[in-house]
Amino acid sequence: MREIFEAELKQVGDDLVEMSSLVAQAIDKAGRALLGSDLALAQEVIVADQAIDEIERELDSRCVLLLAQQAPVATDLRVVVSALRMSATLERMGDLARHIAQVARGRYPVVAVPSLVDEFTRMHEAATGVARRVESLLQTRDLESAAQIEQNDDVLDELHTGNFAAMLGGEWSGSTQETVDVTLLSRYYERFGDHGVSIAERVTFLVTGEFSDAAMETPTSGTTTH
């Protein structure tokens, strides 16, 4: 029975890595679609989000069965519960990439954020950094990746604040549509970073047994920006 349990746990871990890989691809393609006004790439992200959702459903079902049939305790229980939380977080990260792609698709053939292209280029780079390091962290549990995720998130937070300052400044000349798009897109990227930090904190807990109070809750918000 222990061998079966360990095999199931390994599959859970593999599923998380696969989800993280798909999320990394999604945020990279969504950002490139946004910055390059690439309709085909945006549509690819939107369709591919279904695969992330499907893996989450399968992983969650596997975890529920493990809880019901194996009644894990101590470290094993923490691993299963953490996997449930992380799968939900990765699914939300996939949704945020899809939201970015939907904005890119909706503004085609023009770029949605012409006034802040440099800022969103930096957000794209930081978000893809978060995603790649989440994937690496889930594969290796190397806590150096966790620290780098937090650094990327700090960049996203700074850019998010800067974008709002630019819109509220007296020199903002963007249209009403661009103002709405900048507000939403900046929020999507900021939340993406927050979710990456949530995963980093959960993996850190599994490795070290230490968990900050801020990490006890998965980041949530409204239905649009979750």
Side-chain angles (χ1 to χ4, degrees):
M1 290 296 292
R2 182 65 193 181
E3 290 180 357
I4 295 174
F5 179 72
E6 289 180 351
E8 289 293 322
L9 275 186
K10 182 180 183 303
Q11 185 59 56
V12 166
D14 291 345
D15 287 347
L16 287 172
V17 170
E18 184 177 0
M19 284 185 76
S20 67
S21 176
L22 292 175
V23 166
Q25 295 173 42
I27 196 65
D28 177 51
K29 291 178 180 179
R32 289 192 284 121
L34 176 69
L35 296 167
S37 189
D38 190 322
L39 179 62
L41 200 57
Q43 187 62 27
E44 185 178 333
V45 174
I46 293 165
V47 172
D49 186 54
Q50 297 174 11
I52 297 173
D53 294 345
E54 180 61 28
I55 296 172
E56 185 207 15
R57 286 191 290 269
E58 293 177 357
L59 187 154
D60 288 358
S61 295
R62 181 173 288 109
C63 286
V64 169
L65 285 174
L66 283 174
L67 291 171
Q69 297 176 354
Q70 304 291 340
V73 296
T75 300
D76 290 338
L77 179 60
R78 290 199 296 271
V79 169
V80 175
V81 172
S82 293
L84 282 166
R85 295 291 185 88
M86 288 190 288
S87 72
T89 302
L90 286 166
E91 188 273 335
R92 292 183 183 120
M93 293 172 79
D95 284 348
L96 290 164
R98 173 170 53 84
H99 292 333
I100 294 167
Q102 287 171 328
V103 173
R105 182 179 66 177
R107 303 297 163 259
Y108 177 83
V110 300
V111 175
V113 288
S115 301
L116 294 173
V117 170
D118 289 345
E119 287 78 4
F120 277 96
T121 297
R122 291 178 63 198
M123 292 194 100
H124 167 67
E125 292 170 350
T128 54
V130 166
R132 287 195 300 268
R133 288 177 174 115
V134 164
E135 182 180 4
S136 174
L137 180 62
L138 290 171
Q139 288 176 324
T140 66
R141 296 195 178 183
D142 178 1
L143 297 188
E144 178 62 28
S145 293
Q148 292 171 339
I149 289 167
E150 295 197 13
Q151 292 170 7
N152 285 130
D153 180 58
D154 288 343
V155 172
L156 288 168
D157 290 343
E158 180 182 347
L159 289 166
H160 177 57
T161 300
N163 289 343
F164 274 80
M167 290 188 295
L168 294 173
E171 298 182 359
W172 177 253
S173 60
S175 66
T176 300
Q177 184 64 68
E178 184 180 3
T179 301
V180 171
D181 288 340
V182 168
T183 300
L184 290 174
L185 289 164
S186 189
R187 180 63 168 164
Y188 296 153
Y189 276 114
E190 187 266 342
R191 295 306 289 165
F192 189 92
D194 285 349
H195 287 309
V197 170
S198 175
I199 291 175
E201 289 172 333
R202 291 191 179 281
V203 174
T204 298
F205 170 66
L206 289 175
V207 173
T208 67
E210 298 178 359
F211 213 170
S212 67
D213 291 340
M216 294 304 293
E217 296 295 335
T218 300
T220 57
S221 63
T223 56
T224 302
T225 59
H226 74 292

